[in-house]
Amino acid sequence: MMRLNLLLLLGVLLSALYLVNVQYQSRRLYSELDRAKSQALKLAAENERLQVEKRAQATSARVESLARSKLQMRAATPAVTSYVSYAGATSMPDRPASADGGRQP
């Protein structure tokens, strides 16, 4: 009987130690989960802020003002448009197109 009591006492002590260990691990994992959730919320807010900033940076008015100020670009109008013609195209206008795409051997 004494042996059975010692065995049961040892079983209770081992299960108590195991229970303490499991509770400790559970609390540790819960705190890690809480930290991860708060980090995810911070990252989501940062992502939203960056998306808003990206949309603000990509507006057509901002792009146009940067093109005018930094690149010294101007809008294309008929007054500043130059048309360039290819001189080789006018020298042989009656030449038929060949089957190989106009390439010569």
Side-chain angles (χ1 to χ4, degrees):
M1 190 68 159
M2 183 71 163
R3 210 176 239 182
L4 180 62
N5 287 340
L6 286 175
L7 188 62
L8 289 176
L9 179 64
L10 182 64
V12 167
L13 286 176
L14 288 176
S15 66
L17 289 175
Y18 180 72
L19 178 64
V20 168
N21 187 30
V22 167
Q23 285 178 342
Y24 171 75
Q25 294 294 331
S26 174
R27 287 183 184 128
R28 186 181 58 80
L29 289 173
Y30 183 77
S31 66
E32 284 183 30
L33 178 65
D34 191 39
R35 278 193 296 266
K37 282 182 180 179
S38 68
Q39 182 70 19
L41 287 174
K42 287 178 188 175
L43 289 174
E46 178 74 9
N47 184 35
E48 183 64 29
R49 185 187 66 79
L50 290 173
Q51 291 295 330
V52 168
E53 188 176 320
K54 178 183 168 186
R55 286 190 294 268
Q57 295 287 329
T59 60
S60 60
R62 183 177 184 281
V63 171
E64 185 177 345
S65 70
L66 285 175
R68 287 183 191 274
S69 65
K70 293 194 178 197
L71 301 176
Q72 287 85 35
M73 295 177 84
R74 57 188 173 161
T77 61
V80 296
T81 304
S82 300
Y83 295 98
V84 179
S85 62
Y86 179 59
T90 58
S91 64
M92 299 171 66
D94 296 333
R95 184 175 176 203
S98 64
D100 64 348
R103 288 186 234 133
Q104 292 186 0

